[in-house]
C-alpha cells in the first residue's frame, strides 16, 4: 500500500469521526499526529537513518452505560536511508482495532478484540514491494474502580501469507494506579508463544512507566521496557528501551482549542548475542487533540503506550514502540 493511499484512507476515516465526536457526547476520541527521527548504530559498515510520520486515532463509543465499542486506527510511514546505498526503503504500516465490551456496573468488564495490520515494504526507486498482513483476536477482562485499573487478555495471532504449521498465542496483563491526583504509574506484561511444529519461540515483553502532571500545563512521562526472545538455539536475543518525554497542554497558555504538544526521547538496544548489538536513538514530536466528551491528552505516538497496555501482543507491542 502506497503512502498516498494511506493518507487518503486516514483522511476518509478522520473526517466523519471528528464530526461525530463534536455532536455525540457519548463518543470519546483522541487524535495524535507525530514525527520522529532515529539513527541506528551497531551494524558494521552501515550508517542508517530513519524518519517516521504517524497518525493515530482512538475512539470509544458508549452506546449505553454497559455497552462500549473501541475503534482505533493507526498509520505510520517510515523512510529508511542507508549511507552509500543508491536506494532507500519505505515501510508503511496501517492498523485497525475493534473492541466491543460489556461493563457490569461494579467496575468489572469483559470484551473481545480484533486488531489487523497491513505492512508494506518498498525499495525505491526499484519496482520491489513486499507486503505482510497480520491479525490478532481474543478475549479480555478487567476491573476499573477509582485510581485502579487492571486487565488481562488471551488470544491468537495470524499472518498473511500464512505460515503452515505455525500457531501463535498471546496472553498478558496490564495495570495502572493513580498514586496521587497528579501521578500515575502503569505497567504491562505480554507473552507470545510461537509453535513451529516440534520447536517453539517464546517472546516475553515487560514495560513499566509513569506520568507526572506539574499542574501548570507541563507533564513529564517515561517508561522502561524489556523484551526476551527464547529460541531453540544457543543464542540469546533480548532488547530494552528507555523513553522520557515532556508534554504541554496549550489550554494552560490560554488556547481555546484543547491540544497537547509533546517531545520525547527514546533509546533502544537490541542484543543479538555474538552477532551484533544494535543501538537506536530517536527524537519524536507529537500534536494531540481530544475530540468529543472527555478526550485523552495522552500522546498516542509515545513509546509509553506499550507500558499502558495498548498492544495485546509481545510482537506488535515491540514493533510499535520503535516507530
Amino acid at each position: 500500500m502506497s503512502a498516498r493511499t494511506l493518507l487518503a484512507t486516514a483522511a476518509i476515516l478522520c473526517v466523519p469521526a471528528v464530526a461525530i465526536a463534536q455532536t455525540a457526547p457519548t463518543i470519546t476520541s483522541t487524535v495524535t499526529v507525530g514525527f520522529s527521527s532515529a539513527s541506528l548504530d551497531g551494524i558494521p559498515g552501515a550508517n542508517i537513518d530513519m524518519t517516521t510520520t504517524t497518525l493515530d486515532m482512538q475512539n470509544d463509543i458508549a452506546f449505553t452505560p454497559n455497552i462500549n465499542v473501541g475503534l482505533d486506527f493507526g498509520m505510520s510511514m517510515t523512510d529508511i536511508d542507508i549511507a552509500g546505498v543508491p536506494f532507500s526503503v519505505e515501510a508503511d504500516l496501517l492498523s485497525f482495532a475493534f473492541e466491543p465490551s460489556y461493563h457490569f456496573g461494579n467496575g468489572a468488564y469483559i470484551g473481545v478484540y480484533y486488531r489487523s495490520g497491513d505492512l508494506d515494504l518498498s525499495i525505491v526507486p526499484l519496482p520491489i514491494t513486499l507486503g505482510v498482513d497480520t491479525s490478532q483476536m481474543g478475549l479480555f477482562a478487567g476491573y476499573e474502580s477509582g485510581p485502579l485499573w487492571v486487565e488481562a487478555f488471551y488470544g491468537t495471532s495470524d499472518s498473511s501469507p500464512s505460515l503452515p504449521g505455525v500457531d501463535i498465542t498471546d496472553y498478558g496483563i496490564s495495570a495502572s494506579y493513580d498514586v496521587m491526583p497528579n501521578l500515575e504509574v502503569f505497567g504491562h506484561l505480554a507473552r507470545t508463544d510461537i509453535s513451529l511444529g516440534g520447536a517453539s519461540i517464546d517472546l516475553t515483553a515487560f514495560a513499566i512507566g509513569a506520568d507526572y502532571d506539574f499542574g501548570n500545563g507541563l507533564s513529564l512521562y517515561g517508561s522502561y521496557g524489556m523484551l526476551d526472545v527464547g529460541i531453540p538455539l544457543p543464542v540469546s536475543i533480548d532488547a530494552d528501551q528507555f523513553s522520557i518525554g515532556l508534554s504541554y497542554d496549550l489550554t494552560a497558555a490560554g488556547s481555546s482549542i484543547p491540544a497537547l504538544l509533546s517531545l520525547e526521547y527514546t533509546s533502544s538496544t537490541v542484543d543479538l548475542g555474538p552477532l551484533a548489538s544494535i543501538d537506536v536513538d530517536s527524537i519524536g514530536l507529537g500534536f494531540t487533540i481530544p475530540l468529543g466528551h472527555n478526550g485523552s491528552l495522552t500522546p498516542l505516538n509515545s513509546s509509553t503506550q506499550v507500558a499502558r497496555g495498548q498492544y495485546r501482543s509481545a510482537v506488535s507491542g515491540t514493533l510499535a514502540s520503535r516507530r
Side-chain angles (χ1 to χ4, degrees), residues 13 81-82 92 94 106 120 136 161 219 226 253 294 320:
L13 290 176
D81 294 319
I82 306 174
D92 299 333
L94 185 67
N106 59 355
D120 290 325
Q136 295 126 33
S219 293
M226 298 181 295
N294 197 29

Side-chain angles (χ1 to χ4, degrees), residues 99-274:
E99 300 182 2
S101 61
Y102 183 84
H103 297 248
F104 293 98
N106 59 355
Y109 62 90
I110 59 173
V112 298
Y113 69 89
Y114 172 80
R115 176 179 289 271
S116 65
D118 179 4
L119 174 64
D120 290 325
L121 297 175
S122 303
I123 299 178
V124 181
L126 302 179
I128 299 177
T129 301
L130 302 175
V132 177
D133 296 334
T134 62
S135 63
Q136 295 126 33
M137 62 185 66
L139 307 172
F140 62 89
Y143 177 79
E144 185 173 14
S145 178
L148 175 66
W149 167 77
V150 60
E151 181 182 291
F153 68 91
Y154 180 88
T156 61
S157 296
D158 200 359
S159 65
S160 178
S162 61
L163 301 176
V166 176
D167 296 318
I168 304 175
T169 303
D170 306 303
Y171 51 95
I173 188 170
S174 304
S176 69
Y177 186 77
D178 293 331
V179 180
M180 56 184 70
N182 58 342
L183 175 62
E184 178 190 18
V185 295
F186 41 87
H188 174 66
L189 176 64
R191 173 73 174 248
T192 295
D193 295 334
I194 304 175
S195 175
L196 306 168
S200 64
I201 299 176
D202 304 322
L203 297 94
T204 303
F206 169 76
I208 188 170
D211 189 329
Y212 185 82
D213 185 355
F214 290 98
N216 57 358
L218 283 175
S219 293
L220 181 68
Y221 61 90
S223 67
Y224 175 77
M226 298 181 295
L227 174 70
D228 179 74
V229 181
I231 57 177
L233 294 173
V235 177
S236 175
I237 299 178
D238 56 65
D240 64 351
Q241 182 183 77
F242 168 77
S243 66
I244 186 168
L246 187 67
S247 63
Y248 182 70
D249 186 351
L250 296 182
T251 58
S255 173
S256 59
I257 301 177
L260 188 84
L261 291 176
S262 57
L263 174 66
E264 183 173 329
Y265 168 75
T266 301
S267 177
S268 304
T269 300
V270 180
D271 187 359
L272 302 178

Side-chain angles (χ1 to χ4, degrees), residues 74-91:
M75 179 193 72
S76 68
M77 298 176 293
T78 301
D79 292 327
I80 305 173
D81 294 319
I82 306 174
V85 176
F87 58 82
S88 62
V89 179
E90 294 182 353

